[in-house]
Amino acid sequence: MTGLPFLSSDLKGLQMMPSLLSKRFELLRGFNRDLKFILVSLAFRRVVMGFLEVVRAIYFAIIGFSPAEIGFLFTIPIATGALRSGIVGVLADKYGRKIFILLGNLFSTLRLIIYVFSRDYWALALAQALGAFGEGGGAGQPSVSALIADKTDSRDRTHVFSIIALTNSGAAILGSLMAGTPALFQSKLNLDVISSYALLFLIGALFSVLAALLVLPVREERKNQQIEEKSGKLLPEKSWGIIGKFSLVRCVGGLGFGMVTPLLPLYFYMKFSTGSEVLGPFYALSRFLSMVLYLFADDVVELVGEVGSIVASRLASLIGIFLLPFAPSFHLAAILLVLIRAPALFTVPIRQSFITLIVDPSESASAVGISNMARMGVRSIAPALTGYIFESISLNVPFFLGGILIGVNALLYKFFFGRDR
């Protein structure tokens, strides 16, 4: 053996491999009891969001609304969500996170109940507004991000956010596949098309109730220092410079992705006449690919940093966005849809962790909330603009405009944060 040093080295590497693999796949590292409840609760929520992102625009078209009207229906929750992010972000740092997560679940349930029983445009607009408060229960929202940050060590935080994203993606895959159930309900239960969607929305409401019940046992125990630092004041004071730059970057990205992603199902419905049962599997595939990538999130961050990961994902999505208008067939366009979504989804937990790492811990919810408010405030105009362009100008123009903005977003990440590790 002494005459074969390279073989000795290889054997040592083989002996270390099981421990390295064990560490890589130690999925619940950093998860305490409360984080496990949060993990499962968020998964239930993500099932609902998984089918809603596929079926909503198509359902609104089926019940008779024009692309411009549908675009406005998607503008309402984004604008309301911008207000919610700012308010909840600031209040969650002062009064606690759990109460706002529970309220989010309540509003999410009310939205789905309205979907079940009403086809009136303004009732659905109200449901969209309520749903915006419900979507505040996601891992990227201020109350949840801050609660996760409170319960994790900074060394495990990217891993925890990645595992939450991993399970959320698994749940969203189920949700995306559930987008095909209205067609199943029609054939097996003899329901008309609208009733079949109503049944799916009712199932979603039950999932939202279960998500709320899983949050109830979570204990909120913030550090006394954090509570004292927030007593008597609402707005952050230590991290304004970072929050301002991060908010500007997110505004540009939010407007770009807002012109592309919310009405993608409507684009496929109008251009290729595809229903949610056909489109759902491709949404599921993009989630599945992002799940695989999440397993290597720690390694990617270690190699190129949080900012490098985000910039690379933006550029990958950009290729799909620019090519999509030229796709001659549904299947090629659907492959490009996966290329657009999978890289963007991969960096979601990295971005969520990044903002909590670069600001003062006592202001983490405010940082997430304010940056979300700025991003969603700007993004709120995008679906209405895209719907108008779809109806009056061209199905392709929003992809070119949105793609340019996403490219600028990548450059701004590099400019403002590229030197920080």
Side-chain angles (χ1 to χ4, degrees):
M1 187 68 67
T2 56
L4 298 172
F6 64 90
L7 182 57
S8 175
S9 174
D10 287 346
L11 288 174
K12 288 179 181 177
L14 288 172
Q15 291 170 354
M16 293 173 60
M17 191 173 295
S19 62
L20 291 174
L21 289 174
S22 174
K23 188 177 188 300
R24 177 185 297 281
F25 294 103
E26 190 184 344
L27 297 184
L28 294 183
R29 185 179 82 247
F31 281 82
N32 57 27
R33 166 191 173 273
D34 290 338
L35 284 174
K36 291 174 183 176
F37 276 116
I38 293 171
L39 180 75
V40 181
S41 174
L42 292 177
F44 276 109
R45 296 291 308 281
R46 190 52 58 182
V47 169
V48 178
M49 294 310 302
F51 70 72
L52 283 181
E53 69 179 345
V54 181
V55 306
R56 248 188 310 194
I58 294 174
Y59 173 70
F60 293 153
I62 287 172
I63 61 178
F65 300 130
S66 71
E69 289 173 322
I70 295 170
F72 182 70
L73 284 175
F74 277 82
T75 283
I76 291 172
I78 298 174
T80 308
L83 181 65
R84 176 258 302 155
S85 287
I87 293 174
V88 171
V90 171
L91 295 180
D93 275 337
K94 185 172 178 63
Y95 297 110
R97 292 67 154 104
K98 179 178 173 179
I99 181 62
F100 295 102
I101 300 175
L102 289 170
L103 286 173
N105 281 282
L106 172 64
F107 287 125
S108 180
T109 305
L110 289 175
R111 168 184 56 188
L112 290 160
I113 295 298
I114 294 174
Y115 285 172
V116 171
F117 292 105
S118 180
R119 314 288 173 263
D120 177 74
Y121 185 82
W122 294 109
L124 293 173
L126 173 62
Q128 290 286 86
L130 290 173
F133 285 94
E135 287 164 18
Q141 301 304 325
S143 52
V144 183
S145 288
L147 184 58
I148 293 169
D150 289 343
K151 293 182 174 292
T152 55
D153 185 275
S154 60
R155 293 169 297 180
D156 291 327
R157 195 165 300 162
T158 297
H159 174 78
V160 168
F161 274 103
S162 296
I163 296 306
I164 289 174
L166 181 73
T167 55
N168 280 354
S169 289
I173 287 173
L174 174 60
S176 297
L177 296 175
M178 287 174 64
T181 57
L184 182 66
F185 295 153
Q186 291 174 61
S187 62
K188 300 297 183 182
L189 302 179
N190 265 342
L191 296 178
D192 61 75
V193 62
I194 295 177
S195 298
S196 67
Y197 277 94
L199 180 55
L200 176 60
F201 296 143
L202 182 61
I203 293 170
L206 295 176
F207 274 88
S208 291
V209 171
L210 289 173
L213 294 176
L214 285 163
V215 175
L216 291 176
V218 173
R219 297 184 293 261
E220 186 168 13
E221 299 171 353
R222 290 188 295 156
K223 297 176 182 178
N224 291 332
Q225 179 185 359
Q226 289 179 288
I227 297 172
E228 290 171 4
E229 287 177 350
K230 290 305 293 184
S231 61
K233 61 183 180 182
L234 284 176
L235 296 177
E237 296 178 352
K238 301 176 182 179
S239 309
W240 265 120
I242 295 173
I243 293 172
K245 290 189 291 185
F246 193 70
S247 297
L248 173 61
V249 174
R250 297 205 69 202
C251 282
V252 176
L255 183 58
F257 278 109
M259 295 195 69
V260 173
T261 55
L263 297 187
L264 261 178
L266 182 62
Y267 171 82
F268 277 86
Y269 180 75
M270 295 176 67
K271 185 170 183 178
F272 300 107
S273 300
T274 54
S276 57
E277 70 278 5
V278 178
L279 203 55
F282 289 95
Y283 271 76
L285 177 60
S286 64
R287 287 284 182 180
F288 176 76
L289 292 177
S290 68
M291 283 181 65
V292 175
L293 293 172
Y294 289 147
L295 295 173
F296 303 95
D298 290 343
D299 296 323
V300 174
V301 169
E302 182 65 27
L303 182 64
V304 299
E306 289 89 350
V307 174
S309 305
I310 294 169
V311 170
S313 80
R314 296 292 187 265
L315 297 179
S317 295
L318 193 57
I319 294 171
I321 290 169
F322 281 148
L323 290 179
L324 183 61
F326 302 104
S329 66
F330 164 75
H331 287 97
L332 182 56
I335 291 171
L336 291 172
L337 178 146
V338 174
L339 177 61
I340 293 169
R341 285 173 48 81
L345 290 169
F346 164 63
T347 51
V348 167
I350 297 173
R351 175 180 50 76
Q352 292 167 354
S353 173
F354 179 62
I355 184 58
T356 67
L357 290 169
I358 63 176
V359 299
D360 188 271
S362 67
E363 297 176 345
S364 59
S366 296
V368 175
I370 292 170
S371 64
N372 275 2
M373 180 175 67
R375 167 183 171 269
M376 296 178 73
V378 173
R379 181 176 176 169
S380 64
I381 67 172
L385 180 59
T386 297
Y388 171 78
I389 294 173
F390 277 178
E391 186 172 336
S392 304
I393 302 175
S394 167
L395 287 177
N396 298 327
V397 169
F399 296 98
F400 298 121
L401 296 177
I404 291 170
L405 290 169
I406 291 167
V408 173
N409 172 250
L411 292 175
L412 288 176
Y413 263 113
K414 188 69 175 175
F415 177 75
F416 284 129
F417 305 110
R419 288 170 293 180
D420 300 333
R421 288 301 303 266

